Amino acid sequence: MTQHPYNPGRLLFGGDYNPEQWSKDVWAKDIALMRRAAVNTVSLGIFSWALLEPREGEYDVEWLDGIIAMLHEAGIGFFLATPTASPPPWFTRAHPDAMPVRADGTTLTHGSRDTYAVSSPAYREASQRIARFLAERYGAHPGLRGWHVHNEYGTIDYGPHAADAFRRWLRSKYETLDELNAAWTTAFWSQSYGEWEDILPPRDTQYLHNPAHVVDFKRFNSDEMLAAFTEQKAAIVASGSTAPITTNFMLPTWNHLEQWSWSEAQDVVSIDHYLDDPGIDGDTHVAYCGDLTRSWAGGPWLLMEQNAIGIRVGDRTYVKGPDQTIRNSLGYIARGSQSSLFFQWRASAGGSELWHGALVPHAGESSRAFETVVELGSILESISEVVEPPTDGRPVEADVAILWDAEGWWATDTPHLPNDALSYSDEVRATHRSLWRAGISVDFVRAGDDLSRYRLMIIPSMFALSEADAAWATSYVRSGGQLVVQFFSGIADMNQRVITGGYPGMLRELLGVRTEEIRPLPDGESLELDKGFHSEMWSERVQLEGASSLVDYRAGALSGLPAITRNDVGMGAATYLSTRLTQLSRDRYYAQLCADLGIDPVVSDAAPLGVEAVRRRGAAADYLFLLHHGSDSVTVSGEGVDLVTGSNAAGLTLDPGDVAVIRESSRKWMLVKENSASA
Ligand code: GAL
């Protein structure tokens, strides 16, 4: 049961804490430093199974009791993890069959983390046992802020346990092999199944996999891991513990879970977010993470981990400076996070992640990094009133919705598309980025959601759609909605079976177009369109079947043919982008479309000055977050109080890197570049 809206009573600040890596004198020092930095929350025990249960059924909790008592005495709360992401060595020895098997058949061995086959009965039983034990012992502790079940579910197993469980899942989905064979188009390449036992996980094979098989395996894995989570949750609830239960999702690259169904199963949705860009696109991505997680949660949520100090990109770790640490933390909170939690409190001296940044770096507390932590702690205390959610539970209001669909991601990830450079995640992110650059708030929605509050809905390249999805989009448009559908959407059903007769079969009538030819472009080549737009990667030969062309291709084989079309349907309109607009063209396209539709930025002159403006709604007031990513000082005018400085918002100056959180007295704001203000 989701508790709505989630309100921990104060903004939670702190992070993963691994006292088991340190001696007791360091614990005492840690607690003193936490108090200095106003840290109020840590996450304990995430990978501590081997210490908590050193031999099967024998528990050692002295160290955990000890640190919990010290934290509690200092007024610091804790999330307690179930340590099931890291089974101990004795478990591996006792149950060698419970190790995960890779797609290539290699059985993994102990020595890292996440070495378990999620469908192994022994693993599932041991996981519930340790969850029950911890819940019975700590479930009523007054310092317990919540349960952190497992860590980042997402270990995929292709072994015999997975094969058995996959077959059970398929039997319950299809009931007969005839149904399965038809859905998977097994007539192709002699794949027809005559016995359930013949079906395997999509292990490495000679050439291309069957895409329907691959996507069903993804669906199965999400459901299987959800079942493992739900069992642990049930064990905790059975102990009588009433603390909220969550498990941490992961962005940007983890795509193993169907987040909408998982979100419904949690009391509060939490996420780990690791920046993958040290530049301004990292800030864009903070917003993306915040908007996605708030949407999955349907209200306030928890940022369970973010990078401290370092941003890992490829094979190196770049430094995340003080300004960015503060700006990013507030970026999540602006979008409904009730926390700013990090990985991790104290940098490990050894072990696999000894080079990962931390709130207390290897250099110790005499460091710029720790000074930043103290500053952030003090800012979070000053703005803590934002934690009180509005009664309708919606911390951010948006007029624009983007369809998010994990299954669409999985389908678009299958290989051998007309252009394999197409990435669902890149398309969603590029579209969100355009709206972020225009200063416009965005929600993500699930097919079937009530769209009545949205004036614009965007379907990013969503290869597979169901008939119900198409009917839902159509009824949105008929009742006055503005829909934009990006290329390669609605081409196929949910088993990746193309709707023949012309693309995009599922949406052809709604869009009033028929594509007969998909024409990918070579890397690096771009196409010129009318009105100064440019596109890349993808183009289509489109015929109008009721729609009109808004923008034509201007060059090449498609010159003079429609590139962007619009079909008026009922009281609304459905627009089709048959080509991939470059980021700059996409930015211009969405900024103009929003202007035409009267969808305003939160503060109209903020984005051009490099200031991100987000309004977080609260119980007694609304709060305008201003995060300055730009390079010129800016003067603010409007009515309210900046909680960060405690000063009146009128005349406030924001230097590059600065933040303000303004309790608004009115919604009229003006931002001006400083030298032009004084000119
Ligand atoms: C997270 C994980 C943490 C830590 C961190 C840094 O995904 O939850 O335990 O490993 O990454 O790499």
Side-chain angles (χ1 to χ4, degrees):
M1 252 289 285
T2 310
Q3 295 175 346
H4 269 309
Y6 171 71
N7 180 6
R10 62 201 298 194
L11 289 175
L12 306 184
F13 178 43
D16 288 13
Y17 182 37
N18 297 298
E20 63 273 34
Q21 294 175 19
W22 301 96
S23 58
K24 289 204 173 145
D25 53 320
V26 180
W27 295 8
K29 201 169 167 190
D30 279 336
I31 302 240
L33 291 177
M34 285 177 194
R35 290 183 63 126
R36 197 195 305 170
V39 161
N40 56 36
T41 305
V42 295
S43 303
L44 296 170
I46 298 173
F47 300 107
S48 312
W49 197 343
L51 292 178
L52 289 169
E53 191 180 359
R55 275 165 296 281
E56 183 159 8
E58 276 180 36
Y59 300 100
D60 176 2
V61 285
E62 207 190 316
W63 67 274
L64 189 55
D65 285 353
I67 192 69
I68 286 178
M70 287 171 74
L71 288 163
H72 189 56
E73 202 188 316
I76 299 166
F78 62 97
F79 283 96
L80 186 56
T82 64
T84 52
S86 236
W90 60 256
F91 177 83
T92 312
R93 187 162 30 83
H95 305 284
D97 63 299
M99 290 297 97
V101 177
R102 282 201 179 129
D104 69 358
T106 311
T107 302
L108 300 184
T109 52
H110 199 274
S112 178
R113 64 179 182 189
D114 292 291
T115 41
Y116 58 85
V118 73
S119 307
S120 141
Y123 170 72
R124 294 279 275 272
E125 162 54 25
S127 298
Q128 288 172 71
R129 221 175 39 233
I130 185 86
R132 195 162 45 239
F133 170 80
L134 291 169
E136 280 167 4
R137 187 166 184 94
Y138 301 104
H141 195 287
L144 180 66
R145 294 209 191 281
W147 290 100
H148 173 306
V149 171
H150 199 84
N151 192 68
E152 298 175 346
Y153 276 101
T155 301
I156 307 299
D157 169 43
Y158 292 81
H161 290 302
D164 287 348
F166 184 39
R167 289 180 202 125
R168 280 196 297 277
W169 185 90
L170 290 169
R171 272 176 186 261
S172 113
K173 177 169 178 178
Y174 293 107
E175 292 177 5
T176 68
L177 282 171
D178 284 350
E179 283 290 317
L180 178 142
N181 282 317
W184 284 13
T185 320
T186 54
F188 194 76
W189 282 351
S190 180
Q191 291 178 358
S192 305
Y193 293 100
E195 298 294 334
W196 291 98
E197 286 61 37
D198 292 340
I199 304 175
L200 295 169
R203 297 180 185 151
D204 282 1
T205 185
Q206 201 283 125
Y207 183 42
L208 296 173
H209 279 108
N210 178 333
H213 181 187
V214 169
V215 174
D216 262 348
F217 189 62
K218 293 263 189 196
R219 292 181 179 123
F220 152 74
N221 271 299
S222 177
D223 288 354
E224 183 73 358
M225 291 186 278
L226 181 56
F229 166 78
T230 310
E231 284 164 12
Q232 288 201 40
K233 184 178 175 197
I236 293 168
V237 170
S239 78
S241 177
T242 55
I245 301 175
T246 187
T247 182
N248 44 348
F249 289 160
M250 165 75 166
L251 267 177
T253 49
W254 228 223
N255 71 341
H256 302 302
L257 311 181
E258 195 293 299
Q259 296 91 350
W260 297 111
S261 52
W262 276 76
S263 297
E264 280 171 1
Q266 299 175 62
D267 295 325
V268 52
V269 174
S270 65
I271 195 156
D272 300 347
H273 185 228
Y274 287 86
L275 294 187
D276 59 1
D277 190 313
I280 184 71
D281 211 40
D283 297 299
T284 318
H285 206 230
V286 167
Y288 179 68
C289 167
D291 288 338
L292 259 177
T293 318
R294 182 190 67 253
S295 303
W296 292 330
W301 53 282
L302 284 172
L303 179 75
M304 193 59 92
E305 293 175 19
Q306 61 172 314
N307 338 44
I309 308 177
I311 302 176
R312 184 83 182 171
V313 183
D315 61 357
R316 63 211 60 190
T317 306
Y318 298 96
V319 169
K320 178 171 168 187
D323 288 356
Q324 193 181 1
T325 298
I326 292 170
R327 267 196 341 269
N328 286 173
S329 290
L330 265 57
Y332 300 110
I333 292 171
R335 290 178 158 77
S337 173
Q338 301 291 49
S339 62
S340 180
L341 299 170
F342 290 79
F343 180 83
Q344 60 177 331
W345 164 254
R346 181 178 280 282
S348 304
S352 311
E353 291 195 324
L354 78 167
W355 292 112
H356 203 285
L359 298 179
V360 182
H362 286 152
E365 67 274 27
S366 304
S367 58
R368 184 176 79 138
F370 190 69
E371 277 166 25
T372 307
V373 174
V374 174
E375 188 184 346
L376 176 57
S378 137
I379 292 175
L380 296 180
E381 295 233 301
S382 339
I383 68 165
S384 204
E385 66 182 68
V386 308
V387 81
E388 298 295 331
T391 41
D392 67 5
R394 299 176 63 82
V396 173
E397 270 172 350
D399 291 329
V400 180
I402 300 179
L403 177 63
W404 172 270
D405 189 335
E407 296 185 41
W409 183 345
W410 299 334
T412 310
D413 265 4
T414 55
H416 221 61
L417 301 181
N419 185 349
D420 283 337
L422 171 64
S423 141
Y424 171 74
S425 151
D426 287 355
E427 288 313 307
V428 182
R429 196 163 156 182
T431 301
H432 182 273
R433 185 184 290 120
S434 291
L435 292 155
W436 184 86
R437 288 180 177 173
I440 300 214
S441 300
V442 174
D443 277 345
F444 289 89
V445 290
R446 173 189 204 173
D449 276 358
D450 173 9
L451 296 176
S452 50
R453 65 166 67 87
Y454 300 108
R455 294 157 75 185
L456 170 64
M457 206 252 292
I458 302 165
I459 301 186
S461 300
M462 178 81 65
F463 166 39
L465 279 181
S466 69
E467 280 178 20
D469 298 346
W472 166 75
T474 304
S475 100
Y476 169 67
V477 177
R478 283 197 186 290
S479 52
Q482 298 289 325
L483 173 71
V484 174
V485 176
Q486 293 182 191
F487 62 98
F488 204 56
S489 297
I491 301 272
D493 69 13
M494 299 305 280
N495 291 310
Q496 295 82 55
R497 282 184 64 83
V498 166
I499 314 301
T500 55
Y503 313 125
M506 285 283 181
L507 298 173
R508 217 174 107 188
E509 198 183 326
L510 174 60
L511 294 168
V513 296
R514 176 172 179 270
T515 290
E516 58 173 90
E517 216 170 79
I518 293 172
R519 303 175 60 94
L521 273 69
D523 285 346
E525 203 168 285
S526 76
L527 272 182
E528 216 183 316
L529 313 178
D530 280 344
K531 302 188 182 165
F533 289 119
H534 288 88
S535 68
E536 60 197 357
M537 187 199 283
W538 198 279
S539 63
E540 295 179 3
R541 180 178 293 276
V542 174
Q543 294 160 9
L544 301 176
E545 285 186 339
S548 43
S549 179
L550 299 178
V551 173
D552 286 348
Y553 291 98
R554 266 191 92 146
L558 299 177
S559 185
L561 295 178
I564 304 181
T565 63
R566 173 190 161 116
N567 198 27
D568 291 321
V569 177
M571 287 149 65
T575 297
Y576 186 51
L577 306 182
S578 71
T579 183
R580 181 179 204 261
L581 294 176
T582 59
Q583 186 71 53
L584 287 179
S585 287
R586 195 185 301 237
D587 294 351
R588 187 156 70 79
Y589 173 77
Y590 281 110
Q592 187 58 51
L593 179 63
C594 288
D596 293 347
L597 297 175
I599 298 172
D600 296 326
V602 177
V603 174
S604 57
D605 33 37
L609 295 169
V611 176
E612 180 178 357
V614 188
R615 176 168 293 112
R616 175 169 167 152
R617 300 168 65 232
D622 291 343
Y623 302 90
L624 182 69
F625 282 65
L626 296 175
L627 314 175
H628 195 350
H629 310 295
S631 48
D632 293 302
S633 296
V634 163
T635 305
V636 179
S637 52
E639 288 171 37
V641 175
D642 173 25
L643 302 178
V644 175
T645 53
S647 55
N648 204 309
L652 189 77
T653 296
L654 289 180
D655 290 328
D658 277 358
V659 292
V661 179
I662 301 171
R663 189 199 298 125
E664 294 184 308
S665 306
S666 97
R667 286 194 168 188
K668 279 197 214 123
W669 294 100
M670 213 167 82
L671 266 58
V672 188
K673 200 160 121 183
E674 178 122 285
N675 48 11
S676 56
S678 55

